Amino acid sequence: ISSLGGEFRGTIADHPDFDAGSDAEALYDAMKGFGSDKEAILDLITSRSNAERQEIRAAYKSQFGKDLIDDLKYELTGKFERLIVVLMRPPAYHDAKEIKDGAGTDEKCLIEILASRTNEQIHNLVAAYKDAYGRDLEEDVIGDTSGHFKKMLVVLLQGTREEDDVVSEDLVEQDAQDLYDAGEAQWGTDEAKFIMLLGNRSVIHLQLVFDEYQKIAEKSIEDSIKSELSGDFERLMLAVVQCIRSKPMFFAKRLYKSMKGLGTADNTLIRIMVSRSEIDMLDIRECFRLRYEKSLYNMIQDDTSGDYKRTLLKLCGGDDEGTVRPYQNFDPASDAQALRKAMKGFGTDEDTIIDIVAHRSNAQRQEIRQTFKSLLGRDLMADLKSELSKNLQRLILGLMMTPAEFEAKMMKKAMEGAGTDEHALIEILVTRSNQEIQEMCSAYQNAYKKSLEDAIASDTSGHFKRILISLAQVHLHSSCIQTLTHSSYFELADACNADSGDLEDKFMSILCTRSFPHLRRVFQEFVRCSNKDIEQIIKKEMSGDVKNAMFAIVRSVKNQPSYFADRLYKAMKGLGTDDRALIRIMVSRSEIDLFNIRKEFKETHDASLHEFIQGDTSGDYRKTLLILCGGED
């Protein structure tokens, strides 16, 4: 099980009240008599870890004298049966079976498994293959492949890659130069050098080598591989490089390819969903949404069906999209006319306005705005402003703006008037991607004829000002590529020994500029090497707005939905409601990750977000917020 700074990154964990005997009995009962209770089977198996499933198998054998996998195969059918049976096998045995079944035909499967597994997983795979088939995996691979492709597979099968704490600083430049000399710098390619370096050096060491290579060759290592190598060997080396850069991104791409276009590559889909569910499925989902602008959950939902779909969605663990989706039978002209009718004459039909605005995606609302102008010659925003009032008006207008216009307005509101709403500035700037920051900056310039950076500079001061300005610039924020992790760790460790002014500068240079997946790795490394959590250092060494900003970055890196859930809780707990924060988060996250925010809210506060909104707001304002919330959990 992979945990990160103490935080688990899979979606399937050990069950808290696990009892192998009673689970075995429940499965036996679900398969007894005529027909089987598929729902009971999938619910039980998907809420136990693989280690627990092995205990259930043993208990089933000793209680009923039968093999659980045989019974499941007999009772279930199709893809659902394949998926449940894969979940019941130990991971190494499933990898072994996939390689055996794909021998000679499915090189992509062989490449994916051998390029992405750790040393320990490779050793377990080799032993499982021997145990299951009485054959030597290396001999079978040699007999089935040829050339440099075969050589690299054999190197990977040794499972001798250096561990991540092995970084030879003096070798980084040398290795990068050797790779350049072996390919780009000569006629032909010295494949043996590529095989030796990419097959044996540690992940973190190679990440630094790839950066150095880019400087020497003025092109990425991937581009060089594409121009120097070919066929299965090229595909294998590219997979190794992708896994070195970011395993979650490698798997996100494989999952997307398995589902896009006609037909689904179910074996690939099953293999990845099962094998990563206890390791890094949360990171894969994050990379998937950033790269393809749709959630993995949603793609599985569109591409599969029945109990097979339900099981895959359980392994996926959550929807990284929001609660508001594009409206199916969308007609901007009839929506525009219905809105005009709702605002014409005496009194306003708030119900119709809420129903249309809250049930359309932001892209659809922009079409309605344009159609309203071209059909009726009127400005929809101005009409809504004059017809609605107070919080309902703020909420509906927020929904009708483009995300960038809304963020710019929220930044302006946080800085105008007597006091500055520092928490709002921190929340917006910490959690937005590069693209969102860019679009917000240009929307701010358009709306207020002043750059956002200048506005921040004139409204804040000291280290806090510098942090916000750094966040408002485009960095590696939303990239899923992780490089320089080891050097970042050293910078961070070094920063912890600096005096407070220096410490803030050094923390700022790392925390405000690196991508979230990269920072997650740095925090993990930091805990492993220093036995300290980064949050403890911030609490002890910093204060005021600087501490709040640094804290928000760390919380957001570790678990962004949890950070937003906490902000929502603070907006509603105690006397009075911070309506601006409530509106800001509900509007801005409704198409992004409100499902997951709801889930985190429920887990942390033992009450649903729906209940909190219900108890803390009223009237049409409450009604609209509840539609955005999307469910009662």
Side-chain angles (χ1 to χ4, degrees):
I1 282 180
S2 148
S3 79
L4 206 93
E7 198 203 335
F8 176 62
R9 299 300 298 167
T11 47
I12 305 285
D14 288 338
H15 193 263
D17 307 309
F18 176 62
D19 178 344
S22 72
D23 282 353
E25 206 170 314
L27 286 171
Y28 183 76
D29 289 344
M31 292 187 280
K32 217 163 58 183
F34 185 70
S36 53
D37 183 349
K38 295 192 183 83
E39 203 158 315
I41 294 168
L42 84 83
D43 279 344
L44 193 146
I45 289 176
T46 56
S47 50
R48 304 295 183 268
S49 67
N50 191 279
E52 289 171 339
R53 292 180 209 129
Q54 302 319 310
E55 286 188 53
I56 296 169
R57 248 180 108 175
Y60 195 90
K61 190 74 162 260
S62 66
Q63 282 170 231
F64 306 108
K66 302 171 79 172
D67 183 76
L68 176 55
I69 286 188
D70 287 347
D71 279 5
L72 287 165
K73 279 182 171 173
Y74 180 75
E75 289 292 330
L76 309 174
T77 56
K79 296 171 194 172
F80 177 52
E81 176 239 308
R82 268 158 65 192
L83 178 49
I84 292 292
V85 167
V86 170
L87 283 164
M88 288 306 307
R89 283 202 189 102
Y93 282 81
H94 181 58
D95 279 353
K97 186 175 191 311
E98 290 285 274
I99 286 175
K100 186 83 171 69
D101 291 351
T105 55
D106 193 353
E107 277 79 13
K108 283 180 182 164
C109 163
L110 186 61
I111 289 170
E112 178 202 298
I113 291 173
L114 294 186
S116 67
R117 301 306 189 245
T118 62
N119 288 344
E120 187 185 0
Q121 287 169 328
I122 295 276
H123 298 154
N124 292 344
L125 159 64
V126 170
Y129 194 91
K130 184 83 169 172
D131 182 49
Y133 307 110
R135 301 174 63 91
D136 185 81
L137 178 54
E138 190 177 317
E139 283 176 19
D140 281 1
V141 165
I142 288 170
D144 213 49
T145 56
S146 61
H148 298 300
F149 179 52
K150 172 179 78 178
K151 287 179 198 159
M152 184 63 177
L153 290 173
V154 169
V155 167
L156 294 173
L157 271 171
Q158 306 315 301
T160 51
R161 187 179 295 288
E162 293 165 341
E163 294 302 331
D164 270 1
D165 46 4
V166 180
V167 175
S168 318
E169 300 284 347
D170 49 336
L171 271 181
V172 169
E173 275 182 59
Q174 184 60 55
D175 285 351
Q177 190 63 52
D178 285 354
L179 282 173
Y180 180 67
D181 293 343
E184 293 288 342
Q186 63 169 25
W187 286 100
T189 309
D190 178 1
E191 288 89 354
K193 185 60 78 177
F194 275 79
I195 289 169
M196 191 281 287
L197 290 174
L198 294 184
N200 290 292
R201 295 282 195 256
S202 79
V203 168
I204 288 173
H205 179 83
L206 284 171
Q207 288 177 348
L208 296 170
V209 169
F210 296 163
D211 281 350
E212 194 58 38
Y213 184 90
Q214 178 98 29
K215 289 180 203 163
I216 297 169
E218 294 181 351
K219 68 197 294 193
S220 71
I221 187 79
E222 289 93 335
D223 286 345
S224 289
I225 287 171
K226 283 173 193 166
S227 61
E228 296 291 321
L229 312 177
S230 63
D232 287 332
F233 182 46
E234 177 197 342
R235 277 189 283 278
L236 174 59
M237 295 310 249
L238 282 174
V240 169
V241 168
Q242 283 180 351
C243 287
I244 296 290
R245 288 207 190 270
S246 167
K247 268 186 205 174
M249 182 56 98
F250 170 72
F251 285 117
K253 287 177 182 171
R254 292 278 294 146
L255 283 168
Y256 181 74
K257 282 181 184 156
S258 78
M259 290 182 280
K260 82 176 177 71
L262 282 172
T264 304
D266 292 292
N267 279 357
T268 304
L269 182 56
I270 291 171
R271 184 173 59 246
I272 297 173
M273 294 305 291
V274 172
S275 67
R276 307 315 290 184
S277 62
E278 291 182 48
I279 300 174
D280 52 4
M281 187 54 73
L282 291 177
D283 294 326
I284 292 168
R285 274 168 34 189
E286 181 181 12
C287 289
F288 195 97
R289 192 174 71 79
L290 284 167
R291 185 169 182 90
Y292 301 111
E293 292 184 349
K294 77 182 289 182
S295 73
L296 175 59
Y297 189 97
N298 216 11
M299 194 149 183
I300 291 169
Q301 202 149 31
D302 293 345
D303 212 67
T304 59
S305 61
D307 292 316
Y308 175 54
K309 169 165 81 177
R310 290 189 53 225
T311 313
L312 288 170
L313 292 177
K314 284 268 184 120
L315 297 178
C316 183
D319 189 349
D320 299 290
E321 288 194 4
T323 47
V324 176
R325 300 257 165 79
Y327 186 64
Q328 291 304 305
N329 307 311
F330 177 56
D331 177 355
S334 75
D335 280 352
Q337 274 156 344
L339 285 171
R340 177 71 190 122
K341 193 176 166 194
M343 293 185 282
K344 224 157 96 181
F346 187 71
T348 306
D349 178 358
E350 281 90 356
D351 281 352
T352 298
I353 296 171
I354 292 166
D355 199 47
I356 292 172
V357 174
H359 286 107
R360 306 296 182 266
S361 68
N362 192 276
Q364 290 174 335
R365 291 181 210 125
Q366 301 318 311
E367 283 191 59
I368 295 169
R369 262 173 89 173
Q370 286 169 340
T371 310
F372 198 88
K373 189 67 166 264
S374 60
L375 266 187
L376 307 162
R378 302 177 65 90
D379 179 356
L380 177 55
M381 301 298 265
D383 282 5
L384 288 167
K385 205 169 185 174
S386 69
E387 292 293 329
L388 306 173
S389 62
K390 298 193 180 128
N391 285 328
L392 177 65
Q393 181 205 79
R394 286 156 67 186
L395 179 53
I396 294 290
L397 287 175
L399 287 165
M400 287 305 307
M401 291 175 191
T402 66
E405 286 172 339
F406 181 64
E407 314 276 83
K409 185 164 195 224
M410 292 294 100
M411 289 294 288
K412 182 87 166 86
K413 288 284 179 200
M415 290 184 282
E416 70 186 13
T420 302
D421 184 348
E422 288 86 0
H423 286 291
L425 297 178
I426 293 168
E427 175 209 298
I428 294 168
L429 291 173
V430 162
T431 56
R432 300 317 189 245
S433 69
N434 273 347
Q435 194 181 344
E436 287 166 336
I437 296 260
Q438 259 175 325
E439 287 166 0
M440 173 175 71
C441 286
S442 64
Y444 196 95
Q445 180 78 49
N446 284 346
Y448 308 112
K449 307 296 173 250
K450 180 180 190 177
S451 81
L452 180 56
E453 199 175 309
D454 288 348
I456 291 168
S458 58
D459 205 67
T460 55
S461 62
H463 271 99
F464 181 55
K465 171 172 87 176
R466 290 170 58 202
I467 290 168
L468 294 180
I469 287 174
S470 179
L471 289 169
Q473 286 159 356
V474 172
H475 300 295
L476 305 174
H477 219 51
S478 54
S479 149
C480 262
I481 291 174
Q482 302 158 337
T483 51
L484 296 168
T485 308
H486 215 74
S487 57
S488 292
Y489 161 69
F490 286 127
E491 287 169 34
L492 208 52
D494 181 42
C496 293
N497 301 317
D499 63 48
S500 64
D502 225 15
L503 174 117
E504 287 171 355
D505 277 344
K506 286 185 172 168
F507 264 55
M508 185 178 97
S509 71
I510 300 165
L511 266 58
C512 297
T513 61
R514 305 289 199 265
S515 75
F516 277 14
H518 169 87
L519 285 173
R520 243 178 249 131
R521 295 276 305 270
V522 174
F523 297 164
Q524 183 184 24
E525 188 83 354
F526 190 83
V527 173
R528 194 167 67 82
C529 299
S530 70
N531 281 327
K532 286 181 189 159
D533 190 272
I534 203 77
E535 288 183 41
Q536 295 167 328
I537 310 273
I538 292 169
K539 246 181 202 161
K540 192 175 159 212
E541 302 292 341
M542 298 179 190
S543 61
D545 292 330
V546 171
K547 180 178 90 173
N548 291 338
M550 291 299 180
F551 227 76
I553 294 170
V554 173
R555 290 286 317 279
S556 215
V557 165
K558 285 185 174 178
N559 184 342
Q560 198 167 80
S562 166
Y563 168 70
F564 278 119
D566 193 47
R567 295 280 300 135
L568 282 168
Y569 178 73
K570 285 181 177 148
M572 290 183 282
K573 79 177 174 74
L575 282 171
T577 304
D578 181 350
D579 290 295
R580 188 161 280 148
L582 182 56
I583 291 169
R584 183 174 62 244
I585 298 170
M586 295 299 288
V587 168
S588 66
R589 308 315 290 183
S590 63
E591 288 182 55
I592 299 177
D593 54 3
L594 201 46
F595 266 121
N596 289 341
I597 294 168
R598 263 170 37 189
K599 192 169 145 224
E600 293 291 341
F601 195 98
K602 183 82 185 260
E603 279 171 23
T604 315
H605 303 294
D606 288 329
S608 71
L609 178 57
H610 196 277
E611 286 163 4
F612 252 72
I613 291 170
Q614 193 123 34
D616 213 65
T617 59
S618 62
D620 290 324
Y621 174 50
R622 171 168 71 189
K623 186 180 167 187
T624 315
L625 287 170
L626 291 177
I627 293 172
L628 296 180
C629 183
E632 294 190 44
D633 298 307

